[in-house]
Amino acid sequence: MLSDLTKSLNRVTRSISPENFTGEKGMGGKATEGTGKDASRDLGIGWKVSPSIMIEPQQHYTLAEIEGPGKIRHIWMTCFPKYWRELILEIYWEGEEKPAVCVPYGDFFCCGWNERVNVNSLPVVVNPAGGMNTYWEMPFQKKAKIIVKSLATEAFPFYYQIDYSLEEVEECRYFSAYWNRNNPVAYKGTHTLLPKISEAGHYVGTYLAWQVNNNGWWGEGEIKFYLDGDEAFPTICGTGTEDYFGGAWNFEQPLGKYCSYSTMYMGLPQVIRPDDLYQSQQRFGMYRWHVQDPITFSEDIAITIQALGWYSDGRYLPLKDDISSTVFLYLTKPAFELSRDFNRDELEVI
């Protein structure tokens, strides 16, 4: 504890928000224009004049540009749930043209269905009524940039605060995140969480937004990690979907019911059940953080998961479910080779 406090004396703490767009020392709360101008008209400067920004349709905004070396240590954001799949979060390291993080906003914070669920984990925390927090440590040597891109057709307010430290960074592994969707998964096919990438690093997290398109149990599929030259068969092979997320026996508790849970490293916080009118398929959100058990690789990595349920006579049934995945990892390179642009159709929550 004492050594950590001693180290912290060599850090400079800064924070970027709409009340201090640059994070500069002594520049917070000086706004004379902003979304709170009318509300603060009787109070004047220093009284919450600029608490948020307006995200215009089909536009992108640079939330932060930080000169290093340093580490992003905490991010808080919030906006209306309607836009959580139509807002893309991108993070760039060291002045690269390609982002290392390129993920829909809601999925990044474990809310993949445009519906909030409280998450009480170590690196991701979601609080009432839509306060999105991440504590993934994000080091950089020269520069960090955070952008949001809107695919929405209307404007909406967006609130954020990015807390970081300026300090020496001895060894830099770059925080990266990748999103993928199969809607639906091909019959007897698999969902790819991460196509093969040739790089060194360590894998730290999985989030799945899973819609079940069949009756019956759906979570027999195995997750497979192909590491450092693996071809047909993986080095790490799970024993079932609920097993990988730390549950067992269909997440069933009490009898005949799904039991949601959210812990430091794993959880099934979201169980969206059909209503009596318009909703049909059941939807789930689940996470697994490899913080205490990171999966390391020195050459390459690829990850898949099966969509698998039960058929008659005790046989497995390949499923054609709607699966979206977000994976989190630290890589040696500042740009992520799989980054890409999104369109509204592939992101749509139906």
Side-chain angles (χ1 to χ4, degrees):
M1 178 67 177
L2 184 60
S3 62
D4 289 341
L5 289 173
T6 302
K7 289 179 181 178
S8 71
L9 296 178
N10 297 319
R11 299 172 185 153
V12 176
T13 302
R14 294 289 184 264
S15 184
I16 290 174
S17 75
E19 287 284 13
N20 187 349
F21 286 115
T22 63
E24 293 178 72
K25 177 176 171 56
M27 295 301 292
K30 287 188 174 183
T32 58
E33 299 288 335
T35 57
K37 183 179 179 180
D38 288 344
S40 63
R41 63 186 179 273
D42 297 329
L43 301 173
I45 190 171
W47 288 91
K48 201 170 181 178
V49 176
S50 180
S52 61
I53 62 174
M54 289 299 297
I55 302 290
E56 298 297 331
Q58 308 292 314
Q59 298 296 314
H60 71 270
Y61 290 82
T62 299
L63 303 182
E65 286 193 86
I66 307 168
E67 300 295 327
K71 296 178 181 179
I72 295 173
R73 295 184 169 273
H74 169 247
I75 297 173
W76 167 85
M77 295 177 171
T78 191
C79 66
F80 300 137
K82 178 180 179 180
Y83 307 106
W84 289 357
R85 268 277 175 90
E86 296 182 324
L87 189 67
I88 308 302
L89 176 65
E90 295 186 346
I91 304 178
Y92 296 76
W93 305 121
E94 315 299 23
E96 292 284 347
E97 293 184 1
K98 285 189 173 184
V101 174
C102 184
V103 174
Y105 167 89
D107 294 72
F108 186 84
F109 292 104
C110 300
C111 291
W113 296 111
N114 286 356
E115 291 189 27
R116 179 187 59 83
V117 64
N118 292 342
V119 178
N120 184 25
S121 77
L122 192 67
V124 175
V125 179
V126 179
N127 298 321
M132 310 297 218
N133 299 267
T134 180
Y135 287 92
W136 291 114
E137 189 173 282
M138 306 179 194
F140 57 97
Q141 295 284 2
K142 297 178 181 179
K143 188 174 182 179
K145 182 166 68 172
I146 301 178
I147 290 176
V148 287
K149 293 183 176 180
S150 175
L151 303 179
T153 58
E154 55 194 21
F156 58 91
F158 184 76
Y159 300 76
Y160 65 94
Q161 189 136 10
I162 299 162
D163 304 316
Y164 61 99
S165 58
L166 299 175
E167 61 181 282
E168 293 300 317
V169 177
E170 296 179 1
E171 183 180 3
C172 204
R173 291 289 177 97
Y174 295 99
F175 179 76
S176 306
Y178 172 77
W179 184 89
N180 192 32
R181 184 183 192 180
N182 284 120
N183 182 23
V185 176
Y187 181 69
K188 293 187 178 180
T190 59
H191 171 72
T192 298
L193 287 84
L194 184 65
K196 184 176 181 179
I197 59 170
S198 298
E199 196 171 340
H202 52 275
Y203 183 85
V204 293
T206 306
Y207 168 71
L208 293 183
W210 192 307
Q211 175 177 294
V212 182
N213 291 331
N214 276 65
N215 291 328
W217 171 237
W218 50 274
E220 291 300 319
E222 297 177 338
I223 191 168
K224 293 179 167 64
F225 291 85
Y226 298 83
L227 306 174
D228 298 333
D230 288 344
E231 294 295 341
F233 298 99
T235 294
I236 299 175
C237 184
T239 60
T241 303
E242 84 272 44
D243 306 342
Y244 172 70
F245 291 100
W249 303 113
N250 305 2
F251 302 119
E252 187 178 9
Q253 180 186 319
L255 187 66
K257 302 286 185 181
Y258 287 105
C259 180
S260 60
Y261 60 99
S262 183
T263 73
M264 290 177 65
Y265 302 119
M266 56 187 66
L268 175 80
Q270 192 160 42
V271 179
I272 302 175
R273 298 172 175 87
D275 65 11
D276 292 328
L277 187 60
Y278 292 119
Q279 291 181 336
S280 55
Q281 286 81 4
Q282 293 193 96
R283 291 171 170 172
F284 303 88
M286 58 205 105
Y287 64 87
R288 166 79 181 268
W289 308 135
H290 294 273
V291 175
Q292 296 290 84
D293 57 341
I295 296 174
T296 59
F297 49 98
S298 58
E299 298 176 12
D300 53 63
I301 182 174
I303 311 167
T304 64
I305 193 168
Q306 300 161 335
L308 196 64
W310 281 108
Y311 196 48
S312 59
D313 300 324
R315 292 174 291 167
Y316 292 128
L317 175 66
L319 303 176
K320 299 171 68 176
D321 290 344
D322 176 359
I323 304 176
S324 298
S325 58
T326 305
V327 300
F328 303 86
L329 58 167
Y330 286 87
L331 300 173
T332 53
K333 299 175 183 177
F336 194 32
E337 62 188 73
L338 297 177
S339 63
R340 60 189 177 90
D341 292 327
F342 294 103
N343 62 68
R344 295 186 72 206
D345 291 341
E346 66 181 311
L347 298 166
E348 186 176 10
V349 177
I350 302 172

